[in-house]
Amino acid sequence: MLTSRAGVALLAAFVASIVVAQVQAIPGQPSVVELLVKWTPLLAKGFLFNLLISFFAMLVGTLAGVLLGSARISPRPPVRGMSWIVVQFFRNAPWLVLLFFVMFLLPFEFHVGGTTIPFPDWIKATLGLALPIMANVAEILRGAVQSIPTAQWDAARSLAFSRRQTLWKIILPQCVKRMLPPWMNWYAILTMATTLASIVGVSEVMTLTLRITNAEGRTDLLIPIYSYVLLWFFVYCWPISLMTRRLEARYEVR
Amino acid sequence: MDLEAFLRDHGIIATRHSHPPVMTVEESERLVPKLPGAKTKNLFLRDKKGARHFLVTVPHDLPVDLNALGSALDADRLGFASLERLAKHLGIMPGSVSLLALVNDAAAAVEFVIDRTLWDAPAVQAHPLVNDATMVIPHADLERFLAATGHAPRVLELVRLVDVHKSFGTVEVLCGISLDVGKGEAICIIGPSGSGKSTLLRCINGLVGIDRGEIHVGPHAVHRLHKDAEMVALRKDVSIVFQQYNLFPHRTALENVMMAPVDVLKQPKVEVEERAYSLLAKVRLTGKEKNYPGELSGGEQQRVAIARALAMRPQVMLFDEVTAALDPETRKEVLVTIRQLIDEGMTSILVTHEMAFAREIAQHVYFTDQGLIVEHGPPARLFGDPQKMRTRAFLEQVL
Ligand SMILES: Nc1ncnc2c1ncn2[C@@H]1O[C@H](COP(=O)(O)OP(=O)(O)OP(=O)(O)O)[C@@H](O)[C@H]1O
Ligand SMILES: [Mg+2]
């Protein structure tokens, strides 16, 4: 959970690291602050890339998760059983393992007819990250559907709604409110997890940070630049976390 | 009494076909859709002496005392199910062409008697089985024939339960329930908690499947429906109102009423909206159309639930202790609404603890205990002069 106290601590660490770096600065070299300012545009680009990956992974994961979640509550036992296995697998596998799994499983390009469609690493990483989201969204959906009183199903069935209609028109709309907080929570987790993509070679913000520190060759830059990036993630994810808790609180009151 | 003699005595001219035509199921199925006004209902009467079976097909809306007819003809009255079985056995489709058909006991031949209006239909005239010798009884005469049995007319049954059994695990909740509800009738089911009243209602609209017995609602043989898709047709004809209202909390009162007709019956939205407004007005909720269920009182919610059930234009309404969760004030509003519906001729089955209400509105009251009907009868008798000890004990407690 991201709290404002964590944010304050992070900010303090960042400022402290800069102060320490400034104090230890070797005269004649550009200061740490100057370097941070210089590299900010590139870091921002990398960060936006992380956000892009997070959007797509969330979109794909949510859509697939809704389908998988519907399978989890299917009246047919085989469908329920299969989807249970899928959910358990993707929920409990380490994200990084899933990421490598997808990276090596999928080709880097597709051949459709005569043309070659490239399949870049970042899309593969997005799909890899979407898998655990899918499994967790499925679980959220199942929990939410089961929290709706069976009387709602009875009422809908009595009005001649089919099972599918009942699910889509009556049950799921009531679930959205309950699903929103945990869903947003997973989005925040996902956003932070996008940095895993650097390990599989996607040029997102962590990869860029590493390259910058290598290029500058300055050890005193390491702590400030990493806490700088950390701060960005915090600034982005903290409001989401805050909103999640607000929604949760409001839901509890109701 | 001999049917032919009976017909003769009442001046009903019916000529006998010399070589009775036999119509197969396929033939009648082909013929029926072409007949205007072939909306009929079948009853099978069996001569007790075993001489003859009578297959009587009457229009849905014809008020007839079938029990009286049966006894006048010294015949057993058989329900739909047995009729269906017999008709199948004979290779005819009940409810097809005939207004009155005579079946001989050898089950070898069926003689159809066709209503004159149907008789004139080109489709009938062109049918190879129809010839000069086919017997005709005009509609008016049939009514006379039925009226001549001299008993007070009773409406046709719309709901019929025969020996219904239902267990949950090892617990038998319904242990052989049989009851009939005529079209336009209101019946009440009373009984102690846990006697299976709610389960019974849920069986009638197919929410709960039964283990044994038969449930017929109009043309639907509920006990034979299994898939959800098959249930849809039944549920268009039967609506239920629950104790806890069970409105859809994410939709306004108006939307609650409109949803099923629009999404399930695929009726045009504009037309449904108009109907929804007038239904909400009917349950005296004008001005509350745009409120969400959470913003309405219990009594108001329950009236929305009634409007929602009515929006399907059902043949039968089931009410499951609809006032039990309400305080005395709001209870009255809901009861007034239900009484109005019953007065308008809505066939209703009510499970209720409101004895005074049951006494006032019901044509027939059933007292159930431990999954059985202990006693039933007109309210005046059941409440005024109960025969069984168990009934008396229960009534003493609640009255
Ligand atoms: N789905 C179910 N599974 C198992 N047992 C059930 C189920 N539904 C009902 N029962 C049991 O069947 C019995 C009859 O229940 P039912 O609700 O029909 O009684 P009732 O006459 O409506 O009682 P009340 O007046 O309290 O509403 C009870 O013992 C109940 O526990
Ligand atoms: Mg009950």
Side-chain angles (χ1 to χ4, degrees):
Chain A
M1 265 289 144
L2 297 176
T3 60
S4 49
R5 206 177 296 166
V8 171
L10 194 57
L11 190 65
F14 175 60
V15 171
S17 72
I18 287 178
V19 169
V20 170
Q22 288 295 73
V23 169
Q24 296 177 338
I26 302 162
Q29 279 187 336
S31 76
V32 167
V33 175
E34 272 172 322
L35 285 178
L36 286 183
V37 171
K38 174 182 156 198
W39 290 112
T40 292
L42 186 64
L43 286 176
K45 242 165 98 181
F47 185 68
L48 283 179
F49 195 32
N50 282 60
L51 296 191
L52 188 74
I53 293 175
S54 76
F55 290 150
F56 280 121
M58 200 62 194
L59 184 71
V60 173
T62 304
L63 293 180
V66 168
L67 291 182
L68 186 60
S70 314
R72 281 289 283 120
I73 50 170
S74 162
R76 270 171 292 181
V79 176
R80 246 187 355 246
M82 291 288 285
S83 55
W84 180 82
I85 291 171
V86 173
V87 167
Q88 292 311 315
F89 179 78
F90 286 115
R91 273 186 82 198
N92 296 310
W95 290 32
L96 194 56
V97 176
L98 288 178
L99 214 51
F100 272 109
F101 185 69
V102 172
M103 286 321 251
F104 295 124
L105 199 72
L106 296 178
F108 65 92
E109 56 186 24
F110 280 120
H111 298 284
V112 183
T115 57
T116 301
I117 300 167
F119 203 51
D121 277 353
W122 76 269
I123 292 193
K124 287 202 256 181
T126 304
L127 291 182
L129 290 170
L131 289 174
I133 293 297
M134 168 187 78
N136 284 295
V137 167
E139 227 15 51
I140 295 170
L141 184 101
R142 187 190 59 85
V145 167
Q146 287 181 347
S147 73
I148 303 288
T150 53
Q152 288 286 311
W153 286 92
D154 287 345
R157 284 169 70 199
S158 314
L159 289 165
F161 282 94
S162 68
R163 199 191 138 77
R164 178 173 301 180
Q165 283 175 318
T166 305
L167 193 61
W168 286 94
K169 300 208 177 230
I170 290 151
I171 305 299
L172 288 183
Q174 295 184 48
C175 290
V176 169
K177 214 166 57 184
R178 287 162 208 237
M179 286 173 63
L180 206 55
W183 182 81
M184 281 166 48
N185 199 27
W186 277 109
Y187 177 67
I189 292 170
L190 170 68
T191 307
M192 294 188 269
T194 53
T195 51
L196 289 177
S198 72
I199 299 172
V200 292
V202 177
S203 332
E204 49 71 67
V205 70
M206 287 308 277
T207 315
L208 293 177
T209 312
L210 189 67
R211 278 195 212 141
I212 289 166
T213 52
N214 282 347
E216 292 290 343
R218 294 255 310 256
T219 44
D220 59 339
L221 185 60
L222 279 176
I223 294 174
I225 197 167
Y226 276 110
S227 46
Y228 185 45
V229 171
L230 206 56
L231 203 59
W232 283 18
F233 274 100
F234 182 83
V235 167
Y236 182 74
C237 292
W238 182 57
I240 297 175
S241 183
L242 204 65
M243 208 139 65
T244 308
R245 258 170 289 150
R246 285 251 173 88
L247 282 176
E248 264 169 357
R250 199 162 75 189
Y251 179 65
E252 303 230 324
V253 173
R254 283 207 151 199
Chain B
M1 195 194 307
D2 178 38
L3 179 69
E4 273 166 275
F6 187 85
L7 291 173
R8 210 170 38 244
D9 289 351
H10 291 89
I12 296 162
I13 306 139
T15 42
R16 287 285 236 121
H17 191 299
S18 49
H19 298 286
V22 178
M23 205 177 266
T24 65
V25 177
E26 289 76 31
E27 280 170 333
S28 56
E29 264 173 5
R30 255 180 283 129
L31 184 58
V32 177
K34 297 186 188 138
L35 298 174
K39 252 189 129 179
T40 51
K41 193 160 191 163
N42 299 280
L43 288 140
F44 187 72
L45 302 172
R46 185 177 54 198
D47 190 326
K48 270 195 187 128
K49 289 176 210 100
R52 183 169 278 157
H53 293 298
F54 310 105
L55 182 63
V56 183
T57 309
V58 293
H60 264 300
D61 49 1
L62 186 67
V64 174
D65 186 349
L66 294 158
N67 286 328
L69 176 65
S71 56
L73 294 171
D74 195 19
D76 284 337
R77 177 179 162 205
L78 300 183
F80 275 106
S82 19
L83 171 73
E84 250 174 61
R85 268 202 301 276
L86 189 100
K88 223 174 246 159
H89 178 65
L90 296 173
I92 58 160
M93 198 185 82
S96 51
V97 271
S98 61
L99 201 57
L100 177 69
L102 309 180
V103 187
N104 78 14
D105 208 37
V110 185
E111 300 160 50
F112 285 95
V113 187
I114 302 172
D115 178 13
R116 185 164 283 146
T117 52
L118 298 181
W119 177 256
D120 290 336
V124 178
Q125 288 294 325
H127 197 275
L129 291 178
V130 173
N131 60 39
D132 292 346
T134 312
M135 184 160 65
V136 182
I137 295 181
H139 191 151
D141 278 355
L142 182 83
E143 261 181 77
R144 198 139 53 82
F145 157 69
L146 295 167
T149 56
H151 295 265
R154 183 182 180 256
V155 285
L156 293 174
E157 71 209 20
L158 192 56
V159 181
R160 184 171 172 81
L161 274 65
V162 186
D163 195 31
V164 170
H165 289 259
K166 174 69 194 178
S167 304
F168 288 113
T170 54
V171 187
E172 195 168 31
V173 177
L174 301 178
C175 321
I177 300 270
S178 299
L179 58 83
D180 282 346
V181 187
K183 192 165 163 54
E185 268 185 356
I187 67 146
C188 279
I189 301 170
I190 60 171
S193 185
S195 60
K197 306 179 298 294
S198 301
T199 306
L200 186 64
L201 290 191
R202 294 161 68 86
C203 288
I204 294 175
N205 81 342
L207 280 178
V208 173
I210 62 172
D211 301 334
R212 197 141 59 80
E214 296 173 7
I215 298 180
H216 301 273
V217 178
H220 312 285
V222 183
H223 54 287
R224 287 206 211 107
L225 309 177
H226 294 294
K227 293 203 202 77
D228 235 20
E230 300 172 322
M231 293 284 184
V232 169
L234 165 73
R235 297 200 178 120
K236 288 171 183 168
D237 285 349
V238 185
S239 281
I240 185 164
V241 183
F242 299 95
Q243 180 176 337
Q244 294 296 342
Y245 341 127
N246 299 359
L247 294 179
F248 305 132
H250 61 304
R251 297 298 190 105
T252 62
L254 187 72
E255 287 168 343
N256 263 278
V257 178
M258 287 177 62
M259 262 181 106
V262 172
D263 292 339
V264 178
L265 304 181
K266 309 283 179 210
Q267 291 169 350
K269 206 167 177 171
V270 184
E271 185 196 306
V272 174
E273 183 164 3
E274 204 171 296
R275 193 160 88 231
Y277 269 104
S278 67
L279 279 171
L280 285 171
K282 187 190 172 102
V283 296
R284 283 160 290 109
L285 283 174
T286 302
K288 305 263 182 187
E289 294 92 349
K290 295 282 152 70
N291 287 58
Y292 283 89
E295 303 163 346
L296 298 172
S297 77
E300 288 168 339
Q301 288 192 54
Q302 192 58 289
R303 282 179 285 149
V304 174
I306 293 173
R308 180 175 74 172
L310 288 173
M312 294 293 277
R313 297 208 171 113
Q315 301 278 316
V316 185
M317 288 277 279
L318 311 175
F319 296 94
D320 190 2
E321 289 186 40
V322 293
T323 55
L326 304 175
D327 53 67
E329 277 297 300
T330 44
R331 202 168 279 189
K332 214 172 140 209
E333 310 166 347
V334 174
L335 291 180
V336 166
T337 305
I338 296 174
R339 181 185 300 128
Q340 187 190 345
L341 282 179
I342 292 170
D343 287 346
E344 287 168 7
M346 175 59 76
T347 308
S348 307
I349 303 177
L350 301 99
V351 169
T352 186
H353 285 188
E354 308 267 342
M355 297 304 154
F357 185 67
R359 188 169 195 154
E360 179 193 347
I361 53 99
Q363 266 98 57
H364 215 82
V365 180
Y366 292 83
F367 170 64
T368 61
D369 189 21
Q370 304 192 339
L372 276 170
I373 292 173
V374 177
E375 187 171 357
H376 67 98
R381 206 191 68 216
L382 194 101
F383 291 116
D385 181 24
Q387 303 298 305
K388 299 265 166 63
M389 278 296 292
R390 186 70 194 88
T391 319
R392 246 175 270 160
F394 174 76
L395 290 176
E396 256 163 42
Q397 252 178 20
V398 297
L399 288 180

